[in-house]
DNA sequence: TGACCGAATAATGAATTCAAAATTAAAAAC
DNA sequence: GTTTTTAATTTTGAATTCATTATTCGGTCA
């Protein structure tokens, strides 16, 4: 690690932004749930000032909704918003693929291959949770290898808003198998360092995931009618 | 206007975020300039609390840089950051083109054609400022016609961070003429509602602009050596 | 019983206050 | 005269306080 890098002592509100974002993305709150300032302040042991600053930042990221004089709630993700978000993320994924193929190192590829093989095993074993982790690792390793902080930042912001969606509908066996196939192709394109192909594959991978999700959600709402 | 829309009374910090963002994007501050809380509070007639909330939001948008215990400065845009931002914007522009072609109305196209023709006149008259306005109008009309708020939000955020760049180097006559040509092609693709073509044209238009900007900046730094 | 009103309570928005850190100014040493 | 040390001032980070707006609860009246 770079010892001469400037030390960054995070201020309270930064700390709170990170903690709260983590809690929201990792589903410690229900979507739409009210966020009471008082009790949160108590549990974090801070005053309302930095907490409110953090909430405003999270609101600008779209993770929280502020209603004047009525406090803040965890943002809900509507199907319409999903439909708007996925194409944007897919557009970014294409760029991720193009940049990653041009910039990724051999050791990064080796690491991804290793996680890929683990993921295939988890699929065979039907270990959803381990699968999700490996999948996550692979995608964030590719994103990092694109070496573009601006891209990374916006990708992460968008992804965190739809992350919750993966809990909304359980993935079908068919889609799961298809995803594994797609991941195989992605790894191949990565090892070939074929940017155009990798970008297309990553983009389609995401759009297919969205299509599967939409089918699952429609099924749910149909059943509810 | 929709009279039954819910009234939105903005809180102080929202108001401040908008005002400050406008001021930063429209170059009322020097890049890197210190933002003294006290004097800003005085000029806005508010206390530090809402101002600091606003600064934190702007920092998360990347327009302001906060250094703990040392206050806030207007973010500077480094060449490296430009190089990271333009490809991301270009990726979004492609999606804008695809969506816009599919969704834009005849009257929106008519409006854009009107602004386009005005812009061509301004080019002939060498009226840079009017040209910039018309150009801006066209691009934001296309963006709006894509009818995707998520896309719009991220596009706007990225664009505002590089907007300042247009002041950094004056556009060359060659590039200006080329831009006009590209705009003609964009309008044609729009009227044909050819999404793939429009997306490619918009994306390349932006990347060409960036290339011209980079050449101009290199020229500047070379001259300074 | 249940809809409506009003007081009590709680939550929020924003100003103020206080403590810690940084900056500036002044004094001392070389 | 320049650099270093130290004190004063300013600026920032965060807690507290105050005013305003919601919400809840209890009571009234149909």
């Amino acid at each position: 690690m770079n010892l001469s890098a400037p030390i960054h002592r995070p201020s309270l509100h930064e700390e709170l932004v990170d903690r709260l974002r983590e809690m929201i993305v990792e589903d410690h709150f229900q979507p739409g749930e009210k966020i009471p300032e008082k009790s949160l302040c108590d549990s974090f042991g801070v005053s309302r000032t930095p907490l409110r600053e953090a909430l405003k930042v999270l609101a600008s990221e779209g993770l929280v909704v502020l209603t004047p004089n009525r406090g803040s709630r965890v943002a809900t993700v509507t199907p319409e918003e999903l439909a708007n978000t996925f194409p944007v993320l897919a557009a970014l994924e294409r760029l991720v693929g193009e940049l990653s193929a041009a910039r990724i190192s051999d050791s990064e590829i080796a690491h991804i291959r290793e996680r890929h093989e683990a993921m295939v095993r988890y699929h065979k074993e039907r270990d959803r949770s381990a699968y999700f982790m490996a999948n996550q690792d692979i995608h964030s390793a590719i994103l990092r290898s694109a070496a573009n902080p601006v891209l990374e930042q916006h990708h992460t912001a968008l992804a965190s808003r739809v992350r919750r969606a993966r809990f909304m509908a359980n993935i079908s066996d068919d889609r799961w198998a298809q995803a594994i196939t797609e991941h195989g192709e992605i790894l191949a394109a990565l090892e070939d360092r074929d940017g155009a192909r990798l970008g297309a594959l990553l983009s389609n991978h995401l759009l297919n995931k969205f299509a599967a999700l939409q089918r699952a959600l429609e099924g749910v709402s149909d059943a509810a009618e």
Side-chain angles (χ1 to χ4, degrees), chain A residues 50-186:
Chain A
L51 182 80
R52 286 166 61 74
E53 291 168 349
L55 288 174
K56 261 120 200 169
V57 169
L58 293 171
S60 89
E61 290 179 16
L63 293 176
V64 160
V65 175
L66 302 178
T67 318
N69 294 320
R70 286 195 191 177
S72 35
R73 306 184 159 274
V74 176
T76 55
V77 189
T78 65
E80 192 194 345
E81 201 193 327
L82 280 184
N84 282 328
T85 305
F86 270 95
V88 180
L89 255 181
L92 294 186
E93 278 288 318
R94 183 177 301 274
L95 179 59
V96 168
E98 289 164 7
L99 294 180
S100 171
R103 297 174 176 178
I104 195 166
S105 69
D106 288 341
S107 74
E108 283 175 311
I109 291 183
H111 171 246
I112 289 171
R113 165 165 281 286
E114 188 256 306
R115 296 304 289 149
H116 176 82
E117 283 163 3
M119 187 181 76
V120 171
R121 283 199 305 277
Y122 297 139
H123 171 239
K124 285 218 181 76
E125 297 162 7
R126 290 287 185 268
D127 185 341
R128 278 195 148 78
S129 142
Y131 170 85
F132 274 127
M133 294 274 271
N135 183 62
Q136 194 67 33
D137 286 350
I138 290 167
H139 284 292
S140 63
I142 296 176
L143 177 58
R144 252 198 325 278
S145 73
N148 182 329
V150 177
L151 175 58
E152 206 170 328
Q153 182 194 335
H154 283 259
H155 188 289
T156 305
L158 286 162
S160 69
R161 285 176 74 176
V162 297
R163 172 105 56 114
R164 182 196 307 283
R166 80 175 135 105
F167 296 109
M168 289 163 70
N170 233 333
I171 193 173
S172 75
D173 274 1
D174 281 357
R175 172 60 199 145
W176 200 356
Q178 192 199 350
I180 291 284
T181 306
E182 289 169 7
H183 263 269
E185 292 167 358
I186 287 168

